Amino acid sequence: MRIWIVGAGSWGTAVAALLAKHGHRATLWGRDVEGIRAARENRKYLPGVRLPESVGFGTDPEAALTVVAVPTQHIRATLAPLPLRGPFVSLAKGLEMGTRRRPTEILAELFPGSRAAVLSGPSHAEEVARGLPATLVAAGEEPLAREVQAAFMGPTLRVYTSADVVGVELAGALKNIIAIAAGIGDSLGLGDNAKAALLSRGIVEIARLGVALGAQRPTFFGVSGIGDLITTCYHAGGRNLHVGREVGKGRPLREVLEGMSMVAEGVWTSRAALELAREKGIEMPITEAVVKILHEGKPPRDAVRELMMRDPKAEARDWGA
Amino acid sequence: MRIWIVGAGSWGTAVAALLAKHGHRATLWGRDVEGIRAARENRKYLPGVRLPESVGFGTDPEAALTVVAVPTQHIRATLAPLPLRGPFVSLAKGLEMGTRRRPTEILAELFPGSRAAVLSGPSHAEEVARGLPATLVAAGEEPLAREVQAAFMGPTLRVYTSADVVGVELAGALKNIIAIAAGIGDSLGLGDNAKAALLSRGIVEIARLGVALGAQRPTFFGVSGIGDLITTCYHAGGRNLHVGREVGKGRPLREVLEGMSMVAEGVWTSRAALELAREKGIEMPITEAVVKILHEGKPPRDAVRELMMRDPKAEARDWGA
């Protein structure tokens, strides 16, 4: 299969290598692609991983599948000028600032009539590139989801199909809010019990918003939901976890963000999620606490105390919704 | 409220201290209780935590609530001779060997007509005793579940109610199987992506068995399910995680168990769960791999390879069941 990977960050590069190993004709395209071609290595974003000889570099307008591996905020500007027609598989996790569009919604706007799936799950690029096992969910209409599954699945990558594009995209975007909260908790020294509680209750409130926006609840409790959330909150070096840890130490958000070269999507997503929750009349106490800490200067310990002292509740009261 | 805590291990001791702080008349009973009374500290199981002066020691047959804080395998022998009538709240996580009974089922057999709830969730005793925040689920018939919630809930402990006793008890017992698998994965160096996948897919297969045994599926995706599983798999020092890590290094199970002073419930539970799964015609690929590695000498790497290469699947195919 001819596959064009647009975006040569760490994940796009790892995916190009993986698809080439699976025997596909993979072509990688991105800003620094000539340097990557020369070195046969992406020294900036995926150092130490040699790319197979069969990986091509440049454009491939004839590809049977286009992998979108650019950050959500850059999809529109990057893809609009390219000779693309789909079908697409998006690897992006986020909501577009301003429009609050999901990645596949942006693709549908840019390329009307095209088909787009999303592929998401716990997948740190370095681990996948090193051949360590991982699982992903390919969500989309059939037969596209099964085609993506067939292209990506191999001895070290297990891919499940799903019809819930909305759920998989929202889970990938919203989990970054909980990762920021986890980082704050880490810096406050709240411990393992509290961190597990945060993840469990965090996925419940994210699912609540997701369902109101058209997602299927089970998606949030699967590999691309709680699974991705777990790695995001325990794998050192994540950007959102880092932001939370620094803010949890008492540093102002502006200062933390100025010191980072990459975007921590959760900072912006937390505001968008809270707006959406208010529009839909949905309770998101953890998200609300994150917004207050990040954007309104609330002391993290006060926010934790308030979360613990909310009215006693039944656990699964809104599950049926 | 007069509360009698039967069992003076780490969790029973921490709970006695907590309930006394909440203003209850808490009485702690267990094998070493005279030594604990003298030291006002449980030096063996909860060193460094001074017990409040208001904690009593000994028996309290007039208590309005009895907390069962002994390991599942000891409930029958320990409680049968005691002057008890309930209501009970069980803290035990396991299935009784031979009978495969849940803790509240054992209590119902021993004390016919008594009421019993279960209280479970991510709750390492040392953290709770140090006043770090934690969450639990109190499952039982009303008004008992709400009474337990009221007794335990406080500034550092948040308690949710649930009607799903079967689910909360099975989640607490079965998660130990996945913790063993996580330990094996740690020793094989499988990485964070694989560990998150294991937890996500592990809770799905545990839920599948639980539902067949009368549990509510959402329970497994809540605080006492995935929440407890997360701490069990990430908190260093857990017994089941330890067994998995040692077996993952290639040590024989018998040798690993001989070196431990406490029981790793998951070793036995894995066999019981697989028997139950076969009786019910349910797929539990991770549990099956754990049983083969622990009890049949299968090389862990072979088991991982087989798990990754199973037929391609849809993710949530059995969710509706």
Side-chain angles (χ1 to χ4, degrees):
Chain A
M1 195 175 187
R2 281 173 72 162
I3 306 180
W4 186 16
I5 300 98
V6 175
S10 58
W11 191 212
T13 306
V15 160
L18 183 95
L19 292 171
K21 274 185 211 150
H22 290 184
H24 300 291
R25 185 169 148 190
T27 305
L28 180 64
W29 184 87
R31 275 188 301 184
D32 303 321
V33 83
E34 287 308 317
I36 300 171
R37 180 211 299 267
R40 296 220 72 88
E41 179 187 339
N42 187 335
R43 289 187 178 150
K44 184 166 180 192
Y45 291 113
L46 197 64
V49 175
R50 194 165 170 78
L51 298 178
E53 291 303 316
S54 57
V55 172
F57 299 91
T59 61
D60 185 3
E62 302 303 314
L65 181 67
T66 300
V67 177
V68 179
V70 296
T72 309
Q73 312 309 333
H74 302 158
I75 291 177
R76 203 176 285 273
T78 307
L79 269 67
L82 295 179
L84 288 165
R85 57 192 158 83
F88 299 98
V89 54
S90 161
L91 310 181
K93 294 174 185 176
L95 297 174
E96 192 180 38
M97 288 189 206
T99 69
R100 302 190 302 205
R101 294 266 200 292
R102 292 177 282 105
T104 60
E105 290 180 310
I106 305 171
L107 292 170
E109 264 185 54
L110 291 175
F111 308 100
S114 67
R115 296 178 298 147
V118 51
L119 184 69
S120 185
S123 48
H124 287 288
E126 331 80 81
E127 292 191 359
V128 172
R130 284 166 53 209
L132 293 174
T135 54
L136 295 167
V137 175
E141 289 180 15
E142 293 301 354
L144 183 57
R146 268 204 297 273
E147 287 165 9
V148 172
Q149 179 182 49
F152 281 81
M153 192 152 165
T156 61
L157 192 65
R158 188 162 171 79
V159 181
Y160 297 90
T161 54
S162 164
D164 186 17
V165 175
V166 178
V168 170
E169 288 194 297
L170 287 178
L174 300 175
K175 53 110 194 175
N176 287 325
I177 305 167
I178 309 303
I180 292 176
I184 294 170
D186 286 351
S187 277
L188 296 179
L190 298 185
D192 288 322
N193 296 338
K195 189 158 180 172
L198 176 72
L199 270 65
S200 322
R201 295 303 302 174
I203 202 75
V204 164
E205 72 174 53
I206 283 177
R208 206 181 286 150
L209 178 60
V211 168
L213 297 173
Q216 305 294 314
R217 196 180 300 273
T219 299
F220 294 88
F221 298 93
V223 165
S224 69
I226 188 73
D228 199 3
L229 179 60
I230 291 170
T231 18
T232 306
C233 292
Y234 283 95
H235 187 89
R239 287 165 288 175
N240 294 285
L241 191 68
H242 170 78
V243 167
R245 286 180 176 171
E246 294 303 309
V247 170
K249 288 175 193 163
R251 291 181 62 198
L253 177 64
R254 179 183 299 270
E255 185 187 308
V256 174
L257 296 180
E258 280 170 3
M260 293 174 69
S261 60
M262 294 196 279
V263 179
E265 296 264 10
V267 172
W268 182 80
T269 310
S270 63
R271 268 191 199 275
L274 192 59
E275 284 168 23
L276 287 165
R278 284 175 179 161
E279 287 169 24
K280 298 283 178 184
I282 282 166
E283 269 191 308
M284 296 188 79
I286 297 168
T287 301
E288 197 164 339
V290 168
V291 168
K292 284 183 178 162
I293 294 168
L294 289 184
H295 303 292
E296 299 167 19
K298 184 172 191 119
R301 287 204 183 274
D302 293 357
V304 172
R305 196 172 306 119
E306 283 175 22
L307 281 175
M308 294 302 291
M309 293 306 287
R310 299 178 74 229
D311 290 340
K313 297 265 164 71
E315 186 179 37
R317 67 197 186 287
D318 59 355
W319 193 278
Chain B
M1 194 176 187
R2 282 174 70 162
I3 305 179
W4 187 14
I5 300 97
V6 176
S10 58
W11 190 212
T13 306
V15 160
L18 183 95
L19 292 171
K21 275 184 209 152
H22 290 184
H24 300 291
R25 184 167 150 191
T27 306
L28 180 64
W29 184 87
R31 276 188 300 184
D32 303 321
V33 82
E34 288 309 318
I36 300 171
R37 181 210 299 268
R40 296 220 71 87
E41 179 187 338
N42 188 335
R43 289 188 177 149
K44 184 165 179 193
Y45 291 113
L46 198 65
V49 176
R50 194 165 170 78
L51 298 178
E53 290 304 319
S54 57
V55 172
F57 299 91
T59 61
D60 184 5
E62 301 304 313
L65 180 67
T66 300
V67 177
V68 179
V70 296
T72 309
Q73 312 308 333
H74 302 158
I75 291 177
R76 203 175 286 272
T78 307
L79 269 68
L82 295 179
L84 288 165
R85 56 189 160 83
F88 298 99
V89 55
S90 161
L91 310 181
K93 294 174 185 174
L95 297 174
E96 192 180 40
M97 288 188 208
T99 70
R100 302 190 302 205
R101 293 267 201 289
R102 292 176 281 106
T104 60
E105 290 181 310
I106 305 171
L107 293 169
E109 264 186 53
L110 291 175
F111 308 101
S114 67
R115 295 178 299 146
V118 52
L119 185 68
S120 185
S123 48
H124 287 287
E126 331 82 80
E127 292 192 0
V128 172
R130 284 167 53 210
L132 293 175
T135 54
L136 295 168
V137 175
E141 288 180 15
E142 293 302 352
L144 183 57
R146 269 203 297 272
E147 287 165 9
V148 172
Q149 180 183 47
F152 281 80
M153 192 151 164
T156 61
L157 193 65
R158 186 161 173 80
V159 182
Y160 297 89
T161 54
S162 163
D164 186 17
V165 175
V166 178
V168 171
E169 287 194 298
L170 287 178
L174 299 176
K175 53 113 194 172
N176 287 325
I177 305 166
I178 309 302
I180 292 176
I184 294 170
D186 286 351
S187 278
L188 295 180
L190 298 185
D192 288 321
N193 296 338
K195 190 159 180 174
L198 176 71
L199 270 66
S200 324
R201 295 304 302 175
I203 203 73
V204 164
E205 73 173 53
I206 283 176
R208 204 180 288 152
L209 178 61
V211 168
L213 297 172
Q216 304 294 314
R217 195 180 301 271
T219 299
F220 294 88
F221 299 93
V223 165
S224 70
I226 188 74
D228 199 2
L229 179 60
I230 291 170
T231 17
T232 306
C233 292
Y234 282 94
H235 187 89
R239 288 165 287 175
N240 293 286
L241 191 67
H242 171 77
V243 167
R245 285 179 176 173
E246 294 303 310
V247 170
K249 288 176 194 164
R251 291 181 62 198
L253 177 64
R254 178 184 300 269
E255 186 188 308
V256 175
L257 296 180
E258 279 170 3
M260 293 174 69
S261 61
M262 295 196 281
V263 179
E265 296 264 9
V267 172
W268 182 80
T269 309
S270 63
R271 266 191 200 277
L274 192 59
E275 282 169 24
L276 287 165
R278 284 175 179 161
E279 286 168 26
K280 299 281 178 186
I282 283 167
E283 268 192 309
M284 296 188 80
I286 297 168
T287 301
E288 196 165 339
V290 168
V291 168
K292 284 184 179 163
I293 294 168
L294 290 183
H295 303 292
E296 299 167 21
K298 185 174 190 117
R301 286 203 183 273
D302 292 357
V304 172
R305 196 170 306 121
E306 283 175 22
L307 281 174
M308 294 301 291
M309 293 306 290
R310 299 179 74 232
D311 289 340
K313 297 266 164 72
E315 186 178 36
R317 67 197 185 285
D318 59 354
W319 193 277

